[in-house]
């Protein structure tokens, strides 16, 4: 199993969305959170699947960066650190594809960029990539292919935040690089149990329930 880093694997985001609080509640100190944060620092920023087959996929959490045109440039990024607020490392974890033309645009997220089919086509051609595989954006049916299948967004969390009603998906590639999208729904409501008010989870924000 190879894990790649996402925009939530940072000290700042884990303190905003509850992971820090959970560690404090369960272990009584920030030591476990600090160890996890150090592990996040060591995660790869991207991965190649099927290199040299002519069907190679480039896996990244979010998107591309104007700071790197090649895989070698991405490999040279000094990644063992907290994710900065700008620059190539930030872009790989925050950028999004959009139906735009003419290069790069300003991201409404406040970090990273938006990019269109011309950027994807050039990156894939330069690096002999069949498809960019990324996540980072909710897709109601679980996955969405764009730009003549040069990029796919795969979203694996069904019914995100217990309220979005979306499906989840997983992209499977066999030994011949033949792909299959496995889609699935959320756990049925009848089988999901919300923690009681007197449980150890009583202080979890409603966002996570």
């Amino acid at each position: 199993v190879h894990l790649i880093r996402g925009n939530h694997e940072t000290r700042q985001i884990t303190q905003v969305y509850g992971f820090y609080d959970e560690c404090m509640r369960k272990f009584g100190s920030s030591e476990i959170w600090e160890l996890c944060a150090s592990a996040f620092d060591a995660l790869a920023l991207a991965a190649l699947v099927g290199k040299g087959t002519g069907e190679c996929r480039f896996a990244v959490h979010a998107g591309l960066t104007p700071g790197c045109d090649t895989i070698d440039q991405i490999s040279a990024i000094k990644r063992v650190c907290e994710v900065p607020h700008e620059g190539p490392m930030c872009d790989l974890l925050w950028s999004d594809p959009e139906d735009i033309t003419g290069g790069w645009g300003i991201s409404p997220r406040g970090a990273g960029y938006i990019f269109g089919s011309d950027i994807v086509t050039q990156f894939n051609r330069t690096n002999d990539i069949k498809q960019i595989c990324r996540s980072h954006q909710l897709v109601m049916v679980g996955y969405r292919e764009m730009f003549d299948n040069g990029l796919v967004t795969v979203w694996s969390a069904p019914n995100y935040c217990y309220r979005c009603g979306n499906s989840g998906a997983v992209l499977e590639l066999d030994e011949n690089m033949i792909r299959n999208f496995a889609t699935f729904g959320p756990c049925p409501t009848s089988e999901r149990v919300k923690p009681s008010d007197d449980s150890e989870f009583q202080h979890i924000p409603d966002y996570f329930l």
Side-chain angles (χ1 to χ4, degrees), residues 60-64 91-92 94-101 103-105 107-109 112-120 132-139 144-147 150-154:
V60 66
H61 176 72
L64 301 177
D91 300 340
L92 294 170
W94 283 95
S95 295
D96 295 300
E98 292 287 349
D99 291 316
I100 62 172
T101 57
W104 304 90
S107 173
R109 294 181 186 270
Y113 292 85
I114 58 173
F115 57 92
S117 61
D118 55 340
I119 299 297
V120 169
I132 297 166
C133 303
R134 46 90 65 178
S135 184
H136 196 53
Q137 286 177 299
L138 187 149
V139 181
R144 180 192 181 196
E145 293 185 293
M146 301 175 67
F147 313 141
L151 178 146
V152 61
T153 298
V154 182

Side-chain angles (χ1 to χ4, degrees), residues 8-26:
H8 278 244
E9 280 72 62
T10 69
R11 290 162 181 80
Q12 180 180 3
I13 298 298
T14 53
Q15 289 183 75
V16 172
Y17 286 98
F19 181 60
Y20 173 84
D21 293 334
E22 181 178 357
C23 290
M24 290 294 293
R25 184 176 63 252
K26 287 185 175 181

Side-chain angles (χ1 to χ4, degrees), residues 17-206:
Y17 286 98
F19 181 60
Y20 173 84
D21 293 334
E22 181 178 357
C23 290
M24 290 294 293
R25 184 176 63 252
K26 287 185 175 181
F27 304 108
S29 77
S30 63
E31 181 180 3
I32 299 299
W33 172 80
E34 291 168 359
L35 291 171
C36 289
S38 295
F40 296 157
D41 288 345
L43 291 174
L45 301 178
L48 295 176
V49 182
K51 182 179 180 180
T53 65
E55 297 288 328
C56 183
R57 266 64 172 189
F58 175 72
V60 66
H61 176 72
L64 301 177
T65 171
C68 297
D69 297 323
T70 67
I71 300 297
D72 287 343
Q73 290 173 326
I74 293 173
S75 297
I77 296 173
K78 297 184 184 302
R79 73 175 193 274
V80 184
C81 63
E82 178 72 349
V83 177
H85 295 292
E86 59 183 10
M89 184 177 180
C90 172
D91 300 340
L92 294 170
L93 275 57
W94 283 95
S95 295
D96 295 300
E98 292 287 349
D99 291 316
I100 62 172
T101 57
W104 304 90
I106 302 298
S107 173
R109 294 181 186 270
Y113 292 85
I114 58 173
F115 57 92
S117 61
D118 55 340
I119 299 297
V120 169
T121 298
Q122 182 61 47
F123 182 86
N124 288 356
R125 182 184 297 121
T126 298
N127 296 284
D128 194 23
I129 298 296
K130 174 78 172 183
Q131 188 177 57
I132 297 166
C133 303
R134 46 90 65 178
S135 184
H136 196 53
Q137 286 177 299
L138 187 149
V139 181
M140 290 304 296
V141 297
Y143 69 95
R144 180 192 181 196
E145 293 185 293
M146 301 175 67
F147 313 141
D148 295 323
N149 295 337
L151 178 146
V152 61
T153 298
V154 182
W155 183 264
S156 300
N159 195 27
Y160 186 54
C161 298
Y162 298 99
R163 65 190 65 174
C164 293
N166 61 287
S167 297
V170 173
L171 170 57
E172 303 171 333
L173 298 168
D174 68 12
E175 62 273 14
N176 298 311
M177 296 300 291
I178 296 175
R179 64 182 182 168
N180 176 63
F181 291 99
T183 59
F184 49 91
C187 174
T189 302
S190 60
E191 299 178 15
R192 179 162 53 88
V193 179
K194 183 176 179 179
S196 62
D197 291 338
D198 59 352
S199 75
E200 64 173 307
F201 301 102
Q202 61 181 313
H203 300 301
I204 297 178
D206 288 341

